């Protein structure tokens, strides 16, 4: 069997050869971290290449995702279904090996990492999910949830502010099974980082309550000892600062910034082969090297041992084992549909007039008893967001990590909107939990890239936003969301709901809970909103995103489309107008667009060109529905600081203006 240096050099060779084909990529990090990867995978990683989704596997996150050729090389070498031809297809259209690791493309890739810092934040979510699932399911000596989350990260991840948000929280939580390897090579694309990054990283992480070690990242024995010490420290997350040479093995370009993001070139590749003593053709890996890396036998043995443990657990705790299997499969309870519809009917019967942020809590109170997988939270705004339900139990109850209750289901994230959102993505990717987290809609701006990543990965994360418009009032334009709703709608695969009353709010929660193919954004009001009367068919049609709420006999003269707090304005305007007005409530544009052409024609018939859209947000997106002959009532500027009723009057979002506009288009 090959020695450690030769095994590590296989990563270096596959990296430089794969990147050379498209003449595009980042060889520096994979070549610099190859020694760390060799020790981690051959001595510590619990994984099974023949079953990449085994529930109790260790998770590996390449946070410095530009170094994607490292995980691709390791996955290939250890025996995953990622062949040499896949490596040769690096960065090609529809390959399993895109330029950054993308979830769902290659087996063994746990999350999409490209925007720096989000990988480590996702990893905090993975480690948090492991801790919560262990507390909820491990019983009486039966430890069916017991795995580590390993992370590679670089200077860029640590420069990004999200690393502070997530790593600070991880230290507060004492996530002892989170183990990170920092590629401390002093280089970024612009050159030596000493000109712009002089942080004392070990001291920084010690201040976060992390276990910190500093080692030579090319010394296998030091890497092994540091990893053993990190695993032994169960009360704190671990940061192993590894001093490395970027592009190690490249005799002329190694250690410099050009190797960070440029292919080595034919001459340097030849020189690197000679320097490493790697006397093999491109993409040729000797059998003894494959044998040294192959993890199939050990992986099957690890999974079989866990399967035996689970059989014993199943015998001792049949109900809990069935619940574990259901939740890890991502299935809803068997009677969910009937249960949810019954609760929506009860909320409709109650007919409350209240802010939809309060209606959201009503929905959570109704649905949560059936959903033990819920893991809720808020970025320091729980009393305002109303996300703490009657079933909520806090994990972190103001007394530090010693008082953590990981069997709970609610998190105070602190003022960390971006970190919260990326952590929730990691929780979702881990499996077994359904996270939701809340803040004011305005602060979706801070979290936006994590929302985009959830949509890109097609994962079920629920983002809750309250204080949805100028209806926020006196806090003024800094807090009044005007452009956020339309821009959230522009994110591909993001479900966006802005609801007008308690019934629509309950339906929005039901749809988000059922949606497995992407994230949902639920947007709720601060101000009270009136209950709207509906029949059974209308309640069913809410899920279609747009439906007829108020209609006339025969074809209408005018159609008014509205969302959220403006639906009631539209209804009142229809009552006093002398025109035949149809009111369409459209809480979710994307859900409406997914309907059949026949249904959409029944709601918005093309024959009726006199149309008005009303929403207290930037107006641009509504022209699609009202056409050139229609009009939009909404915002074209930022808001102002004043009580909400004065603001709606000032900006013309009123019943009188809706009636006036109806007359103008009819």
């Amino acid at each position: 069997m090959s020695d450690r240096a030769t095994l590590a050099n296989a990563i270096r060779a596959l990296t430089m050869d794969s990147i050379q084909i498209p003449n595009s990529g980042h060889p520096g990090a994979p070549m610099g971290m190859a020694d760390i990867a060799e020790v981690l995978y051959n001595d510590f990683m619990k994984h099974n290449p023949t079953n990449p989704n085994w529930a109790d596997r260790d998770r590996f996150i390449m946070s410095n995702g530009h170094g994607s050729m490292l995980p691709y090389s390791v996955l290939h070498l250890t025996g995953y279904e990622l062949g040499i031809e896949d490596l040769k297809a690096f960065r090609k259209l529809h390959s399993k090996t895109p330029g950054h690791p993308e979830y769902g493309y290659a087996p063994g890739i746990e999350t999409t990492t490209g925007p720096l810092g989000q990988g480590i934040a996702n990893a905090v979510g993975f480690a948090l999910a492991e801790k919560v699932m262990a507390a909820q399911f491990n019983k009486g000596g039966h430890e069916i949830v017991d795995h580590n989350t390993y992370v590679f990260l670089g200077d860029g991840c640590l420069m990004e502010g999200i690393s502070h948000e997530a790593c600070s929280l991880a230290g507060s939580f004492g996530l002892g099974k989170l183990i990170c390897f920092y590629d401390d090579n002093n280089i970024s694309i612009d050159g030596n980082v000493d000109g712009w990054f002089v942080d004392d990283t070990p001291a920084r992480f010690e201040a976060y309550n992390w276990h910190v070690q500093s080692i030579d990242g090319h010394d296998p024995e030091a890497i092994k000892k540091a990893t053993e010490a990190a695993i032994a420290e169960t009360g704190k997350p671990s940061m192993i600062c590894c001093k490395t040479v970027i592009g190690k093995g490249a005799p002329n370009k190694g250690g410099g910034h050009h190797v960070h993001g440029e292919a080595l070139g034919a001459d340097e590749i030849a020189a690197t082969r000679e320097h490493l003593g790697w006397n093999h053709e491109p993409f040729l890996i000797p059998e003894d090297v494959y044998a040294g890396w192959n993890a199939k036998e050990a992986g099957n043995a690890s999974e079989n041992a866990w399967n035996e443990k689970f059989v014993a657990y199943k015998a001792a705790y049949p109900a809990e084992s069935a619940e574990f299997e259901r939740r890890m499969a991502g299935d809803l309870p068997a009677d969910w549909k009937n249960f949810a519809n019954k609760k929506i009917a009860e909320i409709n019967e109650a007919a409350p007039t209240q802010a939809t942020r309060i209606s959201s809590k009503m929905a959570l109170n109704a649905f949560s008893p059936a959903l033990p997988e819920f893991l809720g939270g808020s970025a320091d705004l729980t009393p305002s967001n109303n996300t703490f339900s009657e079933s909520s139990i806090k994990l972190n109850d103001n007394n530090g990590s010693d008082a953590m209750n990981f069997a709970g289901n609610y998190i105070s994230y602190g003022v960390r909107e971006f970190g919260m959102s990326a952590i929730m993505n990691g929780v979702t990717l881990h499996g077994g939990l359904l996270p939701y987290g809340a803040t004011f809609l305005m602060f979706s701006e801070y979290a936006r890239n994590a929302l985009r990543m959830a949509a890109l990965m097609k994962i079920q994360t629920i983002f809750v936003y309250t204080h949805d418009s100028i209806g926020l009032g006196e806090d003024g334009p800094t807090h009044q969301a005007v452009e956020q709703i339309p821009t959230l709608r522009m994110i591909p695969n993001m479900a966006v709901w802005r609801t007008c009353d308690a019934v629509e709010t309950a339906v929005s929660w039901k749809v988000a809970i059922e949606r497995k193919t992407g994230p949902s954004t639920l947007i709720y009001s601060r101000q009270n909103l009136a209950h709207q009367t509906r029949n059974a068919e209308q309640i069913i049609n809410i899920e279609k995103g747009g439906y007829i709420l108020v209609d006339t006999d025969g074809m209408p003269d005018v159609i008014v489309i509205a969302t959220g707090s403006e639906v009631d304005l539209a209804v009142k305007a229809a009552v006093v107008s002398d025109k035949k007005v149809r009111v369409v409530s459209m809480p979710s544009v994307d859900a409406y667009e997914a309907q059949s052409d026949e249904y959409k024609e029944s709601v918005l018939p093309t024959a009726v060109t006199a149309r008005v859209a009303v929403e207290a947000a930037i107006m641009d997106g509504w022209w699609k529905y009202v056409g050139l002959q229609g009009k939009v009532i909404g915002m074209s500027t930022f808001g102002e600081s004043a009580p909400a009723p004065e603001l709606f009057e000032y900006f013309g979002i009123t019943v009188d203006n809706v009636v006036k506009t109806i007359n103008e288009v009819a």
Side-chain angles (χ1 to χ4, degrees):
M1 184 178 293
S2 297
D3 60 22
R4 285 193 183 277
T6 302
L7 296 178
N9 286 341
I11 296 175
R12 297 183 173 104
L14 289 172
T15 292
M16 62 186 185
D17 290 340
S18 298
I19 290 172
Q20 191 59 32
I21 291 176
N23 196 29
S24 171
H26 298 259
M31 296 176 75
M33 300 192 81
D35 298 303
I36 308 168
E38 188 279 320
V39 173
L40 176 63
Y41 269 84
N42 285 320
D43 289 25
F44 297 101
M45 274 290 290
K46 182 178 68 172
H47 66 118
N48 188 0
T50 60
N51 183 11
N53 297 318
W54 164 38
D56 201 41
R57 68 192 181 278
D58 289 339
R59 272 62 167 182
F60 173 79
I61 312 299
M62 188 79 184
S63 187
N64 44 344
H66 53 271
S68 59
M69 272 311 305
L70 186 147
Y72 297 154
S73 299
V74 170
L75 291 169
H76 168 74
L77 291 165
T78 55
Y80 287 78
E81 289 189 10
L82 196 69
I84 280 290
E85 293 305 314
D86 293 313
L87 301 190
K88 291 179 180 178
F90 180 60
R91 294 196 163 205
K92 291 184 179 178
L93 182 64
H94 302 315
S95 75
K96 292 182 180 180
T97 51
H100 290 78
E102 293 193 28
Y103 176 71
Y105 284 63
I109 298 297
E110 302 283 1
T111 183
T112 299
T113 54
L116 292 176
Q118 285 201 66
I120 175 60
N122 291 167
V124 173
F126 276 96
L128 174 62
E130 191 276 343
K131 193 86 168 177
V132 171
M133 291 290 285
Q136 292 181 1
F137 285 100
N138 291 350
K139 295 178 183 296
H142 296 268
E143 295 191 354
I144 60 168
V145 182
D146 182 17
H147 53 266
N148 295 322
T149 300
Y150 295 105
V151 187
F152 282 10
L153 73 163
D155 292 307
C157 293
L158 296 182
M159 283 187 257
E160 291 286 358
I162 190 175
S163 71
H164 169 78
E165 295 184 33
C167 294
S168 169
L169 196 64
S172 298
F173 286 174
L175 298 178
K177 292 186 177 179
L178 174 62
I179 299 172
C180 300
F181 297 86
Y182 164 38
D183 184 25
D184 182 11
N185 59 36
N186 272 77
I187 296 293
S188 67
I189 288 175
D190 275 3
N192 191 299
V193 300
D194 287 346
W196 49 86
F197 185 56
V198 295
D199 300 20
D200 185 340
T201 296
R204 169 186 169 187
F205 277 83
E206 286 171 356
Y208 289 156
N209 192 41
W210 283 53
H211 174 241
V212 180
Q213 303 172 79
S214 297
I215 64 169
D216 177 351
H218 301 301
D219 180 346
E221 193 59 34
I223 297 165
K224 183 176 181 179
K225 288 181 179 178
T227 307
E228 289 171 342
I231 292 170
E233 174 52 76
T234 59
K236 297 179 180 182
S238 288
M239 177 62 71
I240 304 174
C241 300
C242 305
K243 201 65 185 174
T244 60
V245 175
I246 190 169
K248 182 171 176 60
N252 303 304
K253 295 186 177 181
H257 68 277
H258 291 293
V259 77
H260 183 291
E262 299 175 10
L264 293 183
D267 290 344
E268 185 70 358
I269 287 176
T272 302
R273 278 188 152 77
E274 182 177 354
H275 182 71
L276 295 175
W278 186 264
N279 302 312
H280 310 291
E281 295 297 314
F283 298 103
L284 194 157
I285 304 296
E287 286 304 315
D288 63 326
V289 175
Y290 274 128
W293 274 104
N294 195 306
K296 288 182 179 179
E297 184 177 345
N300 282 323
S302 293
E303 183 174 356
N304 289 337
W306 182 84
N307 288 337
E308 291 178 8
K309 289 168 63 175
F310 193 73
V311 167
Y313 180 81
K314 206 167 188 175
Y317 303 99
E320 289 84 352
S321 65
E323 181 69 6
F324 179 82
E325 289 178 316
R326 176 187 76 79
R327 285 169 53 175
M328 288 305 295
D331 295 333
L332 287 167
D335 61 344
W336 165 254
K337 290 275 189 188
N338 290 333
F339 173 84
N341 289 335
K342 179 182 177 182
K343 294 299 181 182
I344 291 169
E346 291 172 358
I347 290 171
N348 182 59
E349 185 69 23
T353 291
Q354 60 193 19
T356 48
R357 62 173 174 155
I358 297 174
S359 298
S360 174
K361 184 171 184 176
M362 177 182 283
L364 281 169
N365 286 338
F367 295 152
S368 292
L371 298 168
E373 56 262 51
F374 261 162
L375 183 65
S378 176
D380 205 49
L381 290 169
T382 294
S384 294
N385 298 148
N386 285 278
T387 41
F388 193 84
S389 76
E390 293 170 356
S391 300
S392 294
I393 302 169
K394 270 197 172 186
L395 269 74
N396 49 333
D397 202 8
N398 307 320
N399 292 309
S401 60
D402 291 341
M404 295 290 291
N405 175 21
F406 285 103
N409 60 7
Y410 191 87
I411 299 168
S412 292
Y413 283 97
V415 187
R416 298 180 174 97
E417 297 88 358
F418 191 7
M420 172 184 72
S421 303
I423 288 168
M424 288 196 298
N425 287 343
V427 169
T428 297
L429 288 160
H430 176 277
L433 297 164
L434 176 54
Y436 67 86
T439 184
F440 289 171
L441 178 58
M442 187 62 246
F443 305 132
S444 67
E445 290 296 310
Y446 289 167
R448 182 62 62 102
N449 204 257
L451 273 65
R452 181 179 186 273
M453 296 302 285
L456 179 66
M457 290 189 281
K458 303 180 178 66
I459 61 172
Q460 184 184 21
T461 310
I462 300 176
F463 303 102
V464 182
Y465 297 115
T466 67
H467 298 63
D468 68 341
S469 69
I470 58 172
L472 176 64
E474 294 87 344
D475 274 342
T478 61
H479 282 53
Q480 291 166 9
V482 294
E483 75 271 32
Q484 283 65 40
I485 296 168
T487 56
L488 285 168
R489 290 177 180 140
M490 292 171 66
I491 300 175
N493 196 41
M494 175 65 75
V496 180
W497 288 81
R498 183 176 185 242
T499 60
C500 76
D501 67 0
V503 178
E504 284 192 357
T505 299
V507 170
S508 72
W509 268 105
K510 175 179 179 286
V511 174
I513 290 164
E514 294 173 356
R515 185 173 192 249
K516 303 296 183 181
T517 57
S520 297
T521 298
L522 309 181
I523 299 173
Y524 302 129
S525 74
R526 179 196 187 194
Q527 70 271 33
N528 288 340
L529 304 183
H531 171 76
Q532 302 297 327
T533 302
R534 301 175 184 81
N535 59 34
E537 182 181 4
Q538 288 173 311
I539 292 175
I540 292 171
N541 285 341
I542 293 172
E543 291 192 27
K544 297 177 180 178
Y547 65 101
I548 300 169
L549 180 61
V550 175
D551 210 3
T552 66
D553 293 330
M555 192 66 76
D557 299 324
V558 181
I559 299 174
V560 180
I561 310 165
T563 80
S565 52
E566 290 70 69
V567 169
D568 192 52
L569 299 180
V571 170
K572 289 175 178 174
V575 171
V576 300
S577 173
D578 58 5
K579 307 293 184 183
K580 294 167 64 177
V581 179
R582 170 180 291 182
V583 175
V584 172
S585 178
M586 195 174 286
S588 177
V589 171
D590 54 277
Y592 175 76
E593 286 296 331
Q595 304 309 310
S596 67
D597 290 341
E598 291 78 11
Y599 177 77
K600 288 188 281 188
E601 176 66 19
S602 74
V603 175
L604 299 176
T606 53
V608 182
T609 58
R611 300 181 182 185
V612 178
V614 192
E615 185 174 61
I618 295 298
M619 300 179 285
D620 293 20
W622 289 110
W623 296 106
K624 173 179 180 178
Y625 296 103
V626 302
L628 297 177
Q629 299 179 53
K631 292 201 171 184
V632 181
I633 299 171
M635 299 294 293
S636 60
T637 68
F638 294 113
E640 296 285 349
S641 182
E646 292 182 27
L647 292 174
F648 279 98
E649 183 74 29
Y650 177 77
F651 287 108
I653 306 173
T654 63
V655 173
D656 288 346
N657 195 32
V658 176
V659 172
K660 174 176 174 289
T661 307
I662 287 171
N663 292 332
E664 290 172 353
V665 301

